[in-house]
Amino acid sequence: MKYIILGLGNFGKALATRLTELGHETIGVDKNMQKVSQLKEQITHTVCMDCTDKNAVSSLPLKDCDAVVVAIGEDEASSLLTTALLKQLNVKKIIGRVVSDLQRTVLEAMQIEEYVVPEEESAERLAMRLDNSGIVDSFKISEKYSIIETKVPERYIGMTLAEADLTKRYNVIVLTVLTLSKGSEGGLAKIFKRASGIATPDTVLRENEVLVLFGELEDIERLMH
């Protein structure tokens, strides 16, 4: 997959590097030549340009990429201008970076439905979500084990956990099942997660629900595919 990261501060740099390590084509963009030069050997491509310049940004392969992440954090105005520019250019998937409640409100007004709050979500977790669209969220417990939130695979919809037998087949443990709903909090749109309690053999897997899994990442990925 191909990703463009606009802004190569600490968060953008970590995200671009991790996505490249995961095997994705990653283009890192920043107006600071020093930041661009530092990453030249670590990610697929680096570009030095002003992300608020429409002509410059238009030269990027926007239509070919799977998502553009606006990782600009220190300059809120530039971040919002860049996001607005990407909307004008009809980029199919934009992930915004939020550093204030006001910025979140403006992004939602622009109908940017996906954004990241770096203080709450690490570059590693976002990279995991981008690496596999089935992952809703992830938490690394150790070098070996993770807790992953993932959509119920279509082939198991309607089965009980006993029938699916995921522990025996994939060596993973289902901790609980989440139901997602849209709502608002403090006037801001938000996705709410409601756990069904500790999963039992009789727990039925339903469409649009999310499994909370514990295990090794490669085992969880086998289940998801």
Side-chain angles (χ1 to χ4, degrees):
M1 299 177 83
K2 180 184 288 187
Y3 297 107
I4 297 176
I5 314 299
L6 303 179
L8 298 175
N10 291 334
F11 182 78
K13 177 182 177 181
L15 178 61
T17 303
R18 185 61 179 135
L19 285 171
T20 303
E21 289 171 352
L22 289 167
H24 301 288
E25 183 178 349
T26 309
I27 301 172
V29 183
D30 201 287
K31 65 180 180 181
N32 185 315
M33 180 55 85
Q34 185 177 358
K35 291 180 180 179
V36 170
S37 298
Q38 286 175 347
L39 275 184
K40 195 171 183 181
E41 303 300 322
Q42 298 179 48
I43 66 176
T44 317
H45 306 289
T46 53
V47 181
C48 185
M49 69 166 59
D50 181 355
C51 297
T52 63
D53 182 328
K54 185 173 183 177
N55 289 331
V57 174
S58 298
S59 68
L60 294 170
L62 300 172
K63 286 184 169 53
D64 298 330
C65 71
D66 295 280
V68 178
V69 181
V70 181
I72 301 167
E74 64 282 355
D75 187 340
E76 204 168 328
S78 291
S79 178
L80 290 173
L81 281 171
T82 299
T83 306
L85 178 58
L86 294 173
K87 286 290 287 185
Q88 287 179 0
L89 293 170
N90 298 314
V91 173
K92 61 184 176 182
K93 183 173 183 179
I94 304 167
I95 300 176
R97 179 180 177 180
V98 171
V99 295
S100 71
D101 288 341
L102 176 60
Q103 188 178 20
R104 191 191 310 238
T105 301
V106 174
L107 287 179
E108 288 173 346
M110 289 187 207
Q111 297 182 316
I112 304 297
E113 296 181 351
E114 193 165 355
Y115 47 78
V116 58
V117 183
E119 290 71 23
E120 298 174 7
E121 179 169 14
S122 69
E124 171 73 20
R125 284 168 64 187
L126 179 56
M128 288 294 296
R129 282 204 288 129
L130 291 173
D131 185 49
N132 194 315
S133 60
I135 291 180
V136 176
D137 205 348
S138 65
F139 305 89
K140 197 170 184 179
I141 303 299
S142 68
E143 284 304 311
K144 193 172 183 181
Y145 293 103
S146 297
I147 293 176
I148 302 288
E149 294 178 8
T150 183
K151 297 171 186 175
V152 175
E154 189 175 345
R155 62 188 180 279
Y156 295 121
I157 292 172
M159 290 187 184
T160 63
L161 279 177
E163 291 168 335
D165 203 8
L166 302 180
T167 301
K168 185 175 180 180
R169 289 180 182 176
Y170 300 102
N171 199 32
V172 302
I173 298 171
V174 180
L175 301 177
T176 188
V177 179
L178 304 177
T179 302
L180 306 183
S181 61
K182 291 184 178 180
S184 63
E185 187 175 90
L188 299 174
K190 187 174 180 179
I191 300 292
F192 292 93
K193 300 176 184 177
R194 183 173 60 83
S196 60
I198 296 172
T200 70
D202 296 326
T203 298
V204 178
L205 305 178
R206 296 183 172 86
E207 190 174 6
N208 298 324
E209 288 185 334
V210 171
L211 299 175
V212 181
L213 304 170
F214 172 80
E216 293 188 46
L217 185 58
E218 60 182 28
D219 291 327
I220 294 172
E221 288 179 338
R222 282 195 302 114
L223 183 159
M224 293 167 63
H225 297 104

